[in-house]
């Protein structure tokens, strides 16, 4: 459970940094940042979305919710 929380925190921080740097965060940014596969990013983003930390739609940027910020 601690690892999952740590991963979620890392992703939320990376999303926030990407938005601050480029104005947008896409899954490919996270693939590059973490050196993982698209499937790994998609699974993690799905968990973050389920937990109410991010919002996204297929082929759309990833945004943080108020809870995610």
């Amino acid at each position: 459970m601690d690892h999952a929380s740590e991963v979620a925190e890392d992703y939320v921080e990376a999303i926030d940094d990407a938005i601050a740097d480029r104005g947008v965060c896409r899954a490919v940014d996270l693939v590059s940042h973490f050196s993982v596969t698209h499937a790994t990013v998609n699974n993690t983003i799905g968990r973050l979305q389920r937990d109410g930390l991010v919002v996204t739609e297929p082929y759309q940027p990833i945004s943080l919710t108020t809870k995610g910020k």
Side-chain angles (χ1 to χ4, degrees):
M1 188 67 163
D2 288 339
H3 177 70
S5 296
E6 189 174 307
V7 168
E9 187 174 311
D10 290 345
Y11 269 74
V12 167
E13 288 176 8
I15 292 165
D16 190 46
D17 290 346
I19 292 169
D21 292 345
R22 293 181 289 284
V24 69
C25 181
R26 297 190 179 276
V28 69
D29 299 325
L30 299 173
V31 167
S32 175
H33 179 80
F34 292 108
S35 299
V36 295
T37 66
H38 280 277
T40 298
V41 168
N42 288 340
N43 289 338
T44 304
I45 293 301
R47 285 194 302 275
L48 295 177
Q49 199 167 18
R50 179 198 67 207
D51 295 343
L53 300 172
V54 301
V55 290
T56 189
E57 293 293 327
Y59 308 105
Q60 297 299 314
I62 302 161
S63 300
L64 295 174
T65 64
T66 302
K67 182 179 177 182
K69 292 179 184 179

